[in-house]
Amino acid sequence: MRPGTLPDEPPSAADPDLARYLLRLGDDALVLGQRLCQWITRAPTTDEDLALSGIALDLIGHARVLLTRAGRLDGTGRTEDDLAFGRTEREFANALLTELPNGDFAVTVARQLAYTHYAVLHYEALAHCADPELAAFGARAAKEVAFHRLHADRWTVTLGRGTAESARRMRLALERVWPYTGELFEEDDVLRRLAASGTVPSPAPLRAPWLGRVTEVVTEAGLAVPTPTWSATGGRSGLHTEEFGPLLAELQSVRRQFPGGTW
């Protein structure tokens, strides 16, 4: 067993709130990982093909841990495969940011910039939670996503300080992505109960440090953090964009074609 992974164990006592929290984090990682997989053989360079593939692999690894634990806690006994491949669109609880289409490379960079800075802060906070297994996972995941963050930071600055065209595309990409960032920090009754009990951290207090960190990067890139006039929401409660259906069909295509198949 790798450090920070959750060991095989008998089904845990049901904890619907914690299961819901883990499902959200797991869905974020799974859906974003699937989006990044769409760059394979299509990235601007071979190096970026490998880099994005590696990031996607890390995210899918995070999703496996989180969905496995969610299935143990939600009272259904579902496996990671059941949760990944056996749910409908309305049953997924990922933030809308993670399902946004890749767009051009600048849009992917902007989406990664927003997500990775949030994820590092969230996993660092999770590393101090009372649950030793989740704390170990949070510590490992924070270190892995920190490398993803460096990749996004570097490309944000490179594009922002590159040619007039690359700077224009990076600016438009930030404007495209930014209305979807607020949902990452939303707090509902589930999160309030978990945070009040000290079980896991709420993402709400992370918004200020997140904004400070991404502002530093965007400023270094010679750009400005957008001020959106609207904010997208609904992903946590199963309301998704119209682009999510085709992405989920792609993710679940083999399971749908060969239900119950084993390899």
Side-chain angles (χ1 to χ4, degrees), residues 120-228:
V120 170
L121 289 167
H122 201 149
Y123 285 137
E124 285 177 345
L126 185 63
H128 298 287
C129 76
D131 185 312
E133 293 172 357
L134 286 180
F137 167 75
R140 176 175 67 85
K143 292 177 181 178
E144 291 178 348
V145 180
F147 284 103
H148 309 170
R149 181 185 62 189
L150 288 173
H151 179 267
D153 289 355
R154 177 174 62 84
W155 271 112
T156 300
V157 174
T158 298
L159 294 175
R161 292 198 172 277
T163 65
E165 177 63 12
S166 70
R168 183 187 72 84
R169 291 192 180 212
M170 194 66 232
R171 175 178 56 79
L172 292 176
L174 291 170
E175 293 173 357
R176 168 79 174 95
V177 163
W178 234 246
Y180 294 87
T181 59
E183 188 180 24
L184 297 171
F185 308 99
E186 288 180 349
E187 187 179 65
D188 61 1
D189 289 341
V190 170
L191 285 169
R192 291 188 190 98
R193 287 192 295 267
L194 290 170
S197 66
T199 305
V200 297
S202 168
L206 304 177
R207 186 163 194 166
W210 170 85
L211 182 59
R213 293 184 182 188
V214 296
T215 298
E216 288 180 5
V217 178
V218 172
T219 301
E220 185 182 352
L223 302 168
V225 173
T227 305

Side-chain angles (χ1 to χ4, degrees), residues 30-40 42 84-85 89 92 99 101-102 243-257:
L30 178 65
V31 170
L32 184 55
Q34 182 67 17
R35 270 292 181 223
L36 291 175
C37 283
Q38 293 178 330
W39 275 111
I40 296 174
R42 295 179 174 88
F85 306 123
E89 292 177 43
F92 274 76
E99 69 192 53
N102 288 325
E243 294 90 355
F244 184 58
L247 178 70
L248 188 61
E250 180 182 73
L251 172 67
Q252 298 178 339
S253 60
V254 174
R255 178 71 168 264
R256 293 179 182 186
Q257 187 174 3

